[in-house]
Amino acid sequence: MGARAESARRPGRPGAGTPAVPDEQSILQRGLEAFAELGYDHASARELARRLGVSHNFINDRYGSKADFWRAVVDFAMGGQLARMPEVDPSVDDAERLRLLITGFYRTAVDSPLVGRLFVEEMNRDTERLDYLYEHYIAPTLQTFMPSIERLVAAGRMAPVPMDVLFFAVVPPVSGMVEVPLARRLGRPAPESPQQLTATAETLAALVVNGLLAAGPVKRS
């Protein structure tokens, strides 16, 4: 009877004498570290299991597949980052609102540099994973900027900018917040205080917004 009960354990539950399965947050954080460091293709099921400290079939038992685990990791990481985005008073001037939104985006990136690495890896691949990132995170994030941008364009304070140009004008500068080793070589002091990080985010945001507001008509060849 005892042997039969033992064999009926739920998938992913450790047996007697085996290490306890890490808590969910630890599992997802270690998954984020693995995908950011290795990339999706090189993060094999065996390597993921080793880094998570679980059995080789744990991911399939708990999440269904490596792809489903990747989505769970992304939702965990991006959900936390978006939750830290500041609420901006909708009554402020649209240029100032845009600056505050972009500053908040850059500032929250400091706490999640691994997310930036994962995004860089996936943005260069035409996959279902990129579709997932675009549908659930990239497009919704851009939409937070769009009402202010549309009003600035309508008021003649900003030239119309194609969406792809807008994205690459706003998002890649976030590397200035997360590529710390390079920033050190470029003269950034170490360690940085929270006040210095906020000042860096504000400077980046001001450069981006001022550039958008100063833009002339954008021509496409």
Side-chain angles (χ1 to χ4, degrees):
M1 181 68 177
R4 183 175 300 175
E6 183 68 22
S7 65
R9 290 181 183 274
R10 290 181 298 170
R13 183 178 177 182
T18 61
V21 173
D23 62 83
E24 186 75 2
Q25 182 169 336
S26 296
I27 289 170
L28 295 173
Q29 179 61 35
R30 293 178 193 179
L32 175 62
E33 292 166 1
F35 287 127
E37 177 184 339
L38 303 173
Y40 182 85
D41 292 336
H42 290 95
S44 66
R46 182 181 297 276
E47 178 63 14
L48 287 171
R50 186 188 70 80
R51 292 184 177 225
L52 269 56
V54 297
S55 64
H56 71 278
N57 61 340
F58 172 85
I59 290 175
N60 285 343
D61 288 343
R62 174 72 68 89
Y63 298 97
S65 67
K66 186 174 85 167
D68 289 329
F69 179 58
W70 180 90
R71 285 188 284 271
V73 165
V74 167
D75 291 342
F76 159 75
M78 290 302 302
Q81 184 169 347
L82 293 177
R84 294 190 298 273
M85 284 285 291
E87 294 287 336
V88 178
D89 185 348
S91 67
V92 302
D93 177 75
D94 281 309
E96 176 64 8
R97 176 177 169 78
L98 190 60
R99 185 187 69 79
L100 291 172
L101 285 170
I102 295 175
T103 299
F105 174 64
Y106 292 163
R107 185 64 184 86
T108 58
V110 174
D111 301 321
S112 307
L114 294 175
V115 175
R117 296 178 192 172
L118 185 148
F119 259 73
V120 169
E121 172 73 18
E122 297 299 340
M123 282 193 295
N124 293 313
R125 299 175 180 272
D126 191 359
T127 65
E128 291 183 356
R129 298 188 302 279
L130 180 58
D131 291 337
Y132 189 84
L133 289 172
Y134 181 81
E135 178 182 349
H136 290 86
Y137 297 105
I138 296 174
T141 298
L142 287 174
Q143 286 305 313
T144 64
F145 305 138
M146 290 312 298
S148 292
I149 289 173
E150 289 168 355
R151 288 190 292 267
L152 289 167
V153 171
R157 299 172 63 189
M158 176 177 166
V161 178
M163 181 62 74
D164 62 311
V165 176
L166 178 65
F167 175 85
F168 289 108
V170 172
V171 175
V174 78
S175 63
M177 303 302 300
V178 300
E179 297 296 339
V180 177
L182 176 58
R184 296 279 184 267
R185 288 166 172 76
L186 294 170
R188 181 175 297 175
E192 284 186 283
S193 68
Q195 294 78 12
Q196 288 172 317
L197 289 170
T198 297
T200 299
E202 291 176 347
T203 299
L204 281 170
L207 285 170
V208 170
V209 174
N210 291 344
L212 290 172
L213 294 177
V218 177
K219 298 180 179 180
R220 305 301 295 264
S221 57

